[in-house]
Amino acid sequence: MTTILQRSFFARSTLQVARDLLGMRLVRLEGEQRLAGLIVETEAYVGEEDLGCHARAGLTPRTQVMYGAAGHAYVYFTYGMHWMFNFVSEAEGFPAAVLLRAVLPTDGLDVMRRRRGRAADSLPPARWTDGPAKLCQALGIDRRCNDLDLCAPGAEIFVESAAPILDASVTIGPRVGLYTVPEPWKSLPWRFRVDNPSLLEA
DNA sequence: GGCCCGATACTCT
DNA sequence: GAGTATCGGGCCC
């Protein structure tokens, strides 16, 4: 039986949440259409002290969602064209989140493939959603999803429990794309990745 | 397979 | 006005 992850799951150490989300199933409901994928890559962004985290600038209109209750979605726009999806973590008032970097499509493949367009041609499903902006495009996630409560009854986006991933199948390393972020933040091993996503049972 | 680059608009200084 | 938690196409192996 599957259960929906509740707020207590997200209201923990961000590193623990990022690790434990691996293998869980992200579900996106669009009316009758169910889109879903197994989470296979995440990154942790933890507090104002973390110079890789948007909250380094403190409380602003953009970052206020990260200061709110755990279990909400923090969705932001970057590079002039891309949306990114995050799970808010930790206690209310402490700004932190887990960036979703990749999923393995399991439900609604036809819709996801169509949304990815030519970039999906001749590639297996795992390659349609192996980047933070790619999966947002495939799942139809944009600014309307910012601050959604993933733990509310009837939520359009939520996470279902699934088979946990063994430590032996997880690679931990530095976060991606923090070119101008100073050490030690740039190199902290706060990225969690399932080694062979395509081997996971869909 | 790899590297380089441009697209594009939002956030905070 | 500068910087950006990226992507895909073009090019060269």
Side-chain angles (χ1 to χ4, degrees):
Chain A
M1 97 176 219
T2 66
T3 63
I4 294 177
L5 300 188
Q6 295 303 301
R7 207 169 315 283
S8 55
F9 176 93
F10 298 100
R12 296 183 295 146
S13 146
T14 307
L15 292 175
Q16 201 65 57
V17 174
R19 165 63 182 86
D20 292 348
L21 277 170
L22 295 180
M24 304 293 107
R25 192 186 312 273
L26 180 73
V27 182
R28 163 80 160 131
L29 301 181
E30 299 178 323
E32 298 298 303
Q33 179 69 55
R34 173 183 158 109
L35 305 174
L38 298 178
I39 295 171
V40 293
E41 185 176 339
T42 60
E43 283 177 357
Y45 289 86
V46 189
E48 297 175 349
E49 305 295 311
D50 174 6
L51 296 185
C53 181
H54 289 162
R56 65 185 177 276
L59 181 62
T60 68
R62 178 169 72 156
T63 62
Q64 65 175 340
V65 174
M66 272 201 289
Y67 286 78
H72 282 244
Y74 168 45
V75 178
Y76 69 88
F77 185 75
T78 193
Y79 287 109
M81 64 190 86
H82 298 305
W83 295 98
M84 307 278 159
F85 179 88
N86 303 255
F87 303 92
V88 175
S89 58
E90 309 263 359
E92 189 159 355
F94 184 89
V98 174
L99 171 68
L100 182 60
R101 288 196 57 88
V103 301
L104 178 69
T106 61
D107 301 69
L109 298 224
D110 51 336
V111 172
M112 286 195 252
R113 178 179 183 133
R114 187 163 65 246
R115 286 188 178 156
R116 293 286 298 120
R118 293 185 56 110
D121 286 352
S122 73
L123 288 178
R127 300 289 307 282
W128 305 346
T129 50
D130 61 348
K134 296 181 187 182
L135 68 89
C136 283
Q137 185 182 25
L139 293 171
I141 290 170
D142 60 24
R143 76 163 69 250
R144 295 168 311 196
C145 303
N146 189 37
D147 203 25
L148 280 185
D149 184 356
L150 313 183
C151 306
E156 299 168 22
I157 303 177
F158 53 91
V159 184
E160 288 179 353
S161 65
I165 304 295
L166 300 176
D167 284 344
S169 301
V170 176
T171 294
I172 302 177
R175 296 174 291 182
V176 175
L178 306 187
Y179 306 107
T180 64
V181 174
E183 300 290 1
W185 313 106
K186 183 175 182 176
S187 300
L188 289 173
W190 287 2
R191 177 192 191 196
F192 301 85
R193 185 161 60 130
V194 177
D195 292 335
N196 293 104
S198 54
L199 299 183
L200 287 182
E201 180 186 353

